[in-house]
Amino acid sequence: MNAWTIGFKEAQASQLTLTGGKGANLSELSRIGDVRVPDGFCVTTNVFRQALEQRPAYQALLDELSQLGADDHNRIPTLTEQIRAEIEDSVIPPEAALEITQRLSQFSLDQAYAVRSSATAEDLPQASFAGQQDTYLNVRGLENIMRHIRRCWASLFTERATIYRIQNGFDHRRAALAVLVQHMVRSQASGILFTADPVTSDRRIVSIEAGFGLGEALVSGIVSADGYKIRAGQIVEIRIAAKTLSIEPIAEGGTQTQPLGEDRMQQQVLTEAQILELAAIGRRIEAHFGKPQDIEWCLDDEGFHIVQSRPITTLFPIPETHSPGRRVYLSTGHQQMMTDAMKPLGLSFFLMVTPAPMRPAGGRLFVDVTELLSAPASRSGLLAAMGQSDPLMRDALMTLLERGDFPEAPPEAAQEVPAKRRTIEPPGGKHVGGVEDPEIVEELLRSNQDSVERLKQEIRGKSGTELLDFIQADIDELKRLLFDPRSSAVIMAGMGAAAWINQQMSEWLGETNAADSLSQSVPGNVTAEMGLALLDAADVIRRHPEVINYLQRTEDEDFLEHLEPLAGGSDVRSVLLDYLDRYGMRCAGEIDLSRTRWSERPLLLIAPILSHVRNFAPGEAQRRFQQGLEQARRKEQELLARLRQLPDGESKAAETKAMIDALRRFSGYREYPKYGMIRRFFVYKLALLEEADRLVVEGVLGSREQIFDLTFNELREVVRTRTADQELIERRQEEFRLFEKLTPPRVLTSDGEGLNGDYRRHDLPDGAIAGLAVSSGVVEGRARVVRHMEDAVLEEGDILVTTFTDPSWTPLFVAAAGLVTEVGGLMTHGAVIAREYGLPAVVGVNQAMQQIRDGQRIRVHGTAGYIELL
């Protein structure tokens, strides 16, 4: 028996497929005893499906639409218009029409209704789809209601809703529409209430927007709204907008826009008592649903009515913790130059490696720094470190501290955590910064390489729980290598030498960022060498036109296997395999073990290789390295000569020479520990994928990639029991799709507030965009705004503008004239390589991808830390 209509109070949460998301939420709202919800009923999705399943033209149009992508801008408008016309011409089944009529007969014939769409893919935790379908207000009369039901159905296929569905991976055939027929409230005022601040995500704040008349004026954006913010039952902000219009119902049905009189334009819509009452209603609704809500409300003589509530899907999740009190977290991704969402297995591996108090949230990792902020000594150390590496993160922390959100702990409660200080000793002994010169670097490299080779041998043949146990035990070896005090001392020696040089050259010579020029072409930087090695590979490929022609047109994932028959193909294949053997474990977002590596998809390297072939002459790698080496030597000679002219100049020059030697001897090692970690991760990954293949053959998993949707311990349990929770895997996949759309803040609190900081600079030219200076020089060129490395097409002289760069982006650096990123700090990988290659670079630029247009000419001031739009 078909359910054609369901009353709000009759509906069950399990009937989502019948009532749609909005209908299901209204049903829940109707069960909250002290919340007024206008009465009505739902015309179920059964009516929609029954009306359209017998229309062959509709089915044929859907077949055609299902073949299109979101960028098919020519076909989507035409097809969706044809589908809407077909739907509006449909006939409501007679049995359903009779039941709708009977429902309406229970109410007054003079009653006005709101006829509202309720899609099955709407107001869901993973994707709200808010506003994608239509609502019609003040509909009167049976015939009009029936017509507007069909119009609601048709709105399922507006161009906007169709593209949104494609982008979110929803099947058009699975989407269906219910329609809500609800008593119309003649609103004196209406608006929206968020139980968490929609801008900052602070869960302590209730945010209300209010306007006169019906809420459509606010939703459509034709008027500004009053804004009120409430925290802990107190109004903390009132913003009164200049309101010029309101939308009002008219007697014969429908609505009209009316101008407001001058006396109401600046009038506060809600009284303070009403604001607090509405905020309290919002909190009750939030408590009922168990998560922050986006609520539509209206006000008449009876009081407040709630006409919708949906989850807020744009809030960044809060890390789970058992620690008491309010907490503050720093984004690990902003330090690691990887702010994309990570899969659960990738998160697990990073958590297994790090000793820091990290917490996952939204597919990212955050470090809990609450204790460090609470004690004065550790607070000053933390702020000093952030000031050097990420000034925006420091400013966000200062915002919290200046507001008094994280006051100093009392002496008896705060455990002082002394700030670690490392000093670079003056020359005169065998040690610089506690590092013995020079054998220690070579010893660390050999130790790491030998350890990886042993791992490759020992992991062979292992499977089942033995494999998982082996990997977990080997993580201890990885941590031993990563946190070897000698390794840390070498890195700190290089960083300390650079800091000493910059500080002393500024003090003695008035020279800014002198260490940048001195850092060019330092030996032993594995990431810089990786970029130059691809130039060498391009030199081999350049000699073989037949291979170039093939690479320009191939999309074959196995293209390496098809090179052999081509003239020169064997040589090219050998060169590329050698490159992949050395660097194939790298990829964009490489700290996430689940990411596809270059060795797994060599096709990712074709675009930068062809760019090198096109833009550079043979021998460019050696030429680049020698050029950087010569510039560093000239800078050294210049500085030492100028120092010798100063009082006590010979002593100053000798000190500086020792620091320059330390900088060039030790700073190249900075990139190696992560390279070693990624090499190890790739060995783990290959072994785990072999185990996953066995699980697929046994029918335990649907695909090998499903292991990435599990934590390490969950995967161990699946391997042990040979059973998997497919519902958990599907839920994780849905969560990941949501997390991918979220942007993590630099600083996050346990109240959900996200802060990104500001530079607060007053020394910039008009219109300039502030950032962090990380590599000196000034360059002007064409901006190439690139979101994904594989999509980059750079010509020589272009300036790369992107969200973040990790080591996998290095092949693009050799073609770029400068670098601008949204994320980054003084010692992140992009900054280090930019200095070594001599590229002017500005990082940590808020919303650089939005502020700079692709193809726009810009000037990057890498010394002063800003960008000019030309």
Side-chain angles (χ1 to χ4, degrees), residues 290-418:
K291 59 188 65 175
Q293 296 289 298
D294 168 0
I295 298 166
E296 296 175 26
W297 60 269
C298 53
L299 175 68
D300 67 5
D301 292 337
E302 294 182 1
F304 288 106
H305 302 262
I306 304 301
V307 295
Q308 187 50 258
S309 184
R310 61 177 68 89
I312 306 175
T313 60
T314 56
L315 299 178
F316 200 87
I318 301 172
E320 292 184 8
T321 180
H322 299 295
S323 302
R326 298 184 62 225
R327 316 299 295 177
V328 60
Y329 307 94
L330 301 186
S331 166
T332 303
H334 284 79
Q335 298 292 314
Q336 288 291 330
M337 296 294 276
M338 207 303 248
T339 56
D340 289 349
M342 296 171 66
K343 291 276 191 170
L345 191 61
L347 290 170
S348 285
F349 270 93
F350 205 87
L351 285 168
M352 289 164 69
V353 170
T354 180
M358 287 190 185
R359 301 285 184 272
R364 281 82 170 181
L365 290 170
F366 292 84
V367 181
D368 189 337
V369 294
T370 310
E371 277 70 32
L372 290 176
L373 280 182
S374 297
S378 57
R379 173 185 292 184
S380 61
L382 175 64
L383 293 175
M386 289 297 99
Q388 288 291 318
S389 66
D390 192 335
L392 288 176
M393 200 169 276
R394 181 187 187 279
D395 183 76
L397 290 173
M398 288 301 301
T399 298
L400 292 174
L401 296 171
E402 289 165 0
R403 289 193 326 213
D405 282 7
F406 288 88
E408 290 183 8
E412 64 274 10
Q415 179 180 356
E416 292 289 341
V417 183

Side-chain angles (χ1 to χ4, degrees), residues 352-486:
M352 289 164 69
V353 170
T354 180
M358 287 190 185
R359 301 285 184 272
R364 281 82 170 181
L365 290 170
F366 292 84
V367 181
D368 189 337
V369 294
T370 310
E371 277 70 32
L372 290 176
L373 280 182
S374 297
S378 57
R379 173 185 292 184
S380 61
L382 175 64
L383 293 175
M386 289 297 99
Q388 288 291 318
S389 66
D390 192 335
L392 288 176
M393 200 169 276
R394 181 187 187 279
D395 183 76
L397 290 173
M398 288 301 301
T399 298
L400 292 174
L401 296 171
E402 289 165 0
R403 289 193 326 213
D405 282 7
F406 288 88
E408 290 183 8
E412 64 274 10
Q415 179 180 356
E416 292 289 341
V417 183
K420 291 183 179 178
R421 296 183 180 275
R422 295 183 182 269
T423 58
I424 302 298
E425 299 173 7
K430 290 186 65 180
H431 296 73
V432 177
V435 179
E436 191 168 345
D437 174 37
E439 295 85 358
I440 185 63
V441 173
E442 289 300 321
E443 184 179 332
L444 288 168
L445 295 179
R446 281 196 305 272
S447 175
N448 201 310
Q449 292 162 0
D450 292 346
S451 179
V452 172
E453 291 305 315
R454 284 197 304 274
L455 168 64
K456 290 179 180 178
Q457 295 297 322
E458 293 172 3
I459 204 170
R460 286 179 181 170
K462 289 184 169 54
S463 64
T465 55
E466 181 190 14
L467 172 63
L468 277 292
D469 291 342
F470 173 82
I471 290 174
Q472 185 159 36
D474 191 74
I475 292 288
D476 290 334
E477 170 69 0
L478 172 55
K479 290 195 289 189
R480 182 189 69 78
L481 294 166
L482 280 176
F483 306 116
D484 185 331
R486 299 172 303 163

